[in-house]
């Protein structure tokens, strides 16, 4: 098991599966449930580490696939690992690159050994195995690393999902056997598509391997909301209560709250920064499209209930001006706001859990967004 890494559950909501705790890592303690900003290429787009700290960020993500291509794991290792390379002294998580391999690579060959594919930059031929991915992640040096898996597409047949799920479990064992760094926590990933029997099987078999934490993969990839909820319900009951649960790639308000209600501790997604760069903003009163003409002479703050740098210092009119003139500063300000909104929402969710009122908090939060709650 990883050194200096464990989950301390301090309170469970009496009316739901939501739970509050502290995740202890080699680079500091963070409260859960939490939202983790995504820094794909060892940077959260347009935002500095100092700004991430001010936002209240805990764990930051980086992407194994993208960093293996540029600048390469050897360069990062030579720099002293990701913490030194990107000047972030808090915890870092690297995903395995499995999702990117299966989403970005147009042609790939999956065998028991691993995946052969052409990268999305120059078409060069690459070969990822469970062992080679763990080797890359060890050189990158994050506090938390992911097993290599296949992200099962949606929809897919039961037969395909079964074959893929069984292979992912075999890959998980190989990756765990290859992992040697005692200061890194290694998570197993539960797959199984939309199928209850496969989710249960994947969870039970992955737990047998005794990972430091468990991820629920293959969700939020285009499935309907009811299927998304079922994927969680089919997985969580079989995961140990004393280890962190991580729902991968989830960043919409409704999906996060559904996950928290079911006992998930960790979430990540590029959504808040991606939609910010397109002028779409999360606020306490619902969605705001800052590009709209009505904000041209609106000199009020973006969100009077938000304490972020953007809302404290700039008006809607100025933010709209920056957006329509395609100024980089505007993308930065909008991204700061969206990230702070989600981080603050998690702070409020944690308080609600401690006060046994999470379900009320969830209902009140979703009511503010109406039909656009997930955007």
């Amino acid at each position: 098991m990883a050194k200096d890494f464990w989950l301390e559950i301090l309170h469970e909501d009496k009316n739901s599966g939501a739970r509050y705790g502290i995740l202890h890592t080699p680079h500091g303690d963070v409260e859960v449930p939490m939202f983790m900003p995504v820094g794909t290429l060892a940077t959260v787009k347009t935002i500095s580490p100092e700004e991430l700290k001010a936002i209240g960020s805990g764990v930051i993500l980086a992407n194994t696939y993208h960093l293996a291509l540029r600048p390469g794991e050897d360069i990062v290792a030579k720099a002293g690992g990701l913490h030194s390379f990107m000047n972030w002294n808090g915890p870092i998580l690297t995903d395995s690159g499995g999702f990117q391999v299966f989403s970005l690579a147009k042609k790939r060959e999956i065998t028991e050994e691993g995946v052969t594919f052409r990268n999305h930059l120059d078409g060069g031929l690459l070969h990822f195995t469970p062992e080679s991915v763990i080797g890359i992640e060890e050189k990158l040096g994050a506090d938390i690393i992911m097993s290599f898996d296949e992200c099962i597409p949606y929809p897919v047949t039961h037969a395909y999902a079964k074959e893929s799920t069984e292979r992912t479990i075999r890959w998980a064992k190989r990756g765990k056997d290859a992992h040697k760094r005692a200061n890194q926590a290694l998570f197993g990933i539960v797959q199984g598509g939309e199928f209850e029997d496969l989710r249960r099987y994947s969870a039970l078999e992955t737990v047998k391997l005794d990972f430091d934490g468990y991820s629920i993969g293959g969700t939020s990839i285009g499935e309907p909301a009811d299927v998304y909820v079922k994927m969680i319900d089919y997985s969580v009951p079989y995961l140990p209560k004393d280890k962190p649960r991580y729902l991968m790639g989830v960043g919409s308000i409704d999906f996060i709250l559904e996950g928290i209600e079911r006992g998930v501790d960790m979430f990540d997604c590029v959504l808040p920064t991606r939609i910010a760069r397109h002028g779409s903003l999360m606020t306490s009163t619902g969605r705001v499209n800052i590009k709209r003409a009505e904000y041209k002479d609106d000199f009020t703050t973006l969100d009077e209930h938000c304490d972020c740098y953007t809302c404290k210092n700039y008006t809607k009119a100025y933010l709209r001006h920056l957006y329509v003139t395609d100024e980089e500063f505007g993308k930065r300000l909008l991204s700061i706001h969206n990230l702070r909104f989600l981080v603050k929402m998690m702070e409020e969710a944690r308080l609600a859990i401690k006060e046994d009122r999470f379900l009320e908090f969830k209902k009140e939060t979703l009511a503010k967004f109406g039909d656009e709650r997930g955007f």
Side-chain angles (χ1 to χ4, degrees):
M1 304 302 290
K3 181 181 179 182
D4 300 326
F5 182 92
W6 76 97
L7 176 65
E8 181 181 8
I9 298 296
L10 299 176
H11 187 79
E12 296 182 52
D13 182 77
K14 293 179 180 178
N15 304 303
S16 72
R19 57 204 208 151
Y20 165 77
I22 305 292
L23 184 63
H24 302 275
T25 83
H27 283 87
D29 300 339
V30 289
E31 294 179 284
V32 297
M34 65 174 165
F35 178 80
M36 304 177 288
V38 176
T40 301
L41 286 161
T43 179
V44 178
K45 287 187 184 299
T46 74
I47 303 181
S48 71
E50 293 76 17
E51 288 166 331
L52 289 171
K53 284 290 184 184
I55 288 167
S57 306
V59 180
I60 302 299
L61 264 72
N63 184 269
T64 297
Y65 167 81
H66 287 285
L67 290 174
L69 295 181
R70 296 178 299 181
E73 65 272 18
D74 290 332
I75 295 294
V76 176
K78 190 175 181 180
L82 276 174
H83 295 89
S84 298
F85 188 58
M86 62 188 288
N87 189 34
W88 178 256
N89 61 8
I92 298 174
L93 182 154
T94 49
D95 61 17
S96 66
F99 176 78
Q100 285 70 33
V101 168
F102 296 102
S103 63
L104 294 178
K106 294 182 179 180
K107 292 184 178 180
R108 56 185 175 269
E109 180 183 358
I110 306 172
T111 67
E112 186 64 27
E113 178 62 19
V115 184
T116 302
F117 61 100
R118 296 193 178 278
N119 77 63
H120 73 290
L121 294 177
D122 60 12
L125 197 64
L126 296 174
H127 184 63
F128 275 13
T129 69
E131 295 85 358
S132 69
V133 167
I134 291 295
I136 295 170
E137 291 191 275
E138 288 188 332
K139 287 186 176 180
L140 294 176
D143 302 85
I144 306 170
I145 67 175
M146 297 293 116
S147 302
F148 188 57
D149 67 326
E150 178 186 0
C151 181
I152 301 173
Y154 178 86
V156 73
T157 65
H158 186 278
Y160 183 95
K162 183 175 186 294
E163 179 183 1
S164 173
T165 298
E166 291 173 342
R167 183 172 52 241
T168 285
I169 293 168
R170 294 192 295 270
W171 283 359
K173 184 180 187 305
R174 286 168 53 189
K176 189 171 188 295
D177 290 343
H179 182 232
K180 305 303 180 186
R181 285 192 65 160
N183 63 343
Q184 283 184 317
L186 175 61
F187 281 28
I189 302 177
V190 176
Q191 289 287 351
E194 63 181 298
F195 305 103
E196 181 175 6
D197 61 325
L198 296 181
R199 285 278 171 183
R200 180 177 63 251
Y201 171 77
S202 179
L204 290 172
E205 293 301 311
T206 305
V207 168
K208 287 180 183 178
L209 297 174
D210 194 25
F211 286 96
D212 298 297
Y214 297 91
S215 304
I216 301 171
T219 70
S220 195
I221 54 172
E223 75 279 5
D226 62 326
V227 174
Y228 162 79
V229 168
K230 288 178 181 178
M231 288 177 172
I232 306 173
D233 287 338
Y234 295 159
S235 305
V236 168
Y238 308 103
L239 301 180
K241 291 186 177 181
D242 62 342
K243 293 186 177 181
R245 302 162 180 167
Y246 166 30
L247 194 53
M248 307 176 74
V250 172
S252 67
I253 294 165
D254 53 341
F255 276 21
I256 288 175
L257 295 176
E258 295 289 356
I260 293 174
E261 180 181 343
R262 289 160 173 78
V264 175
D265 308 302
M266 305 162 62
F267 303 83
D268 83 282
C269 195
V270 297
L271 182 141
T273 49
R274 177 175 289 169
I275 65 173
R277 296 194 299 274
H278 291 88
S280 184
L281 302 165
M282 303 172 177
T283 78
S284 61
T285 56
R287 184 181 185 180
V288 168
N289 288 313
I290 202 65
K291 66 190 84 172
R292 293 176 61 170
E294 66 186 273
Y295 301 120
K296 186 176 183 179
D297 58 354
D298 186 338
F299 302 107
T300 64
T301 185
L302 176 60
D303 186 346
E304 63 179 9
H305 299 292
C306 181
D307 58 3
C308 79
Y309 172 78
T310 302
C311 290
K312 285 181 176 179
N313 293 283
Y314 300 100
T315 65
K316 294 190 190 80
Y318 184 62
L319 294 174
R320 181 185 182 276
H321 162 70
L322 294 178
Y323 179 82
V324 299
T325 55
D326 198 29
E327 286 289 340
E328 291 299 313
F329 186 47
K331 297 174 184 177
R332 181 171 156 193
L333 290 176
L334 300 180
S335 295
I336 285 172
H337 169 77
N338 271 358
L339 283 177
R340 177 55 191 160
F341 179 89
L342 280 186
V343 169
K344 187 171 185 287
M345 184 185 81
M346 301 304 266
E347 293 170 355
E348 294 169 350
R350 292 194 293 265
L351 178 61
I353 293 169
K354 288 187 281 187
E355 296 177 350
D356 295 314
R357 55 175 182 85
F358 176 76
L359 292 180
E360 290 85 349
F361 169 77
K362 174 190 171 187
K363 183 178 179 180
E364 292 167 1
T365 302
L366 294 181
K368 297 173 183 177
F369 285 86
D371 293 336
E372 294 186 304
R373 63 189 188 185
F375 58 98

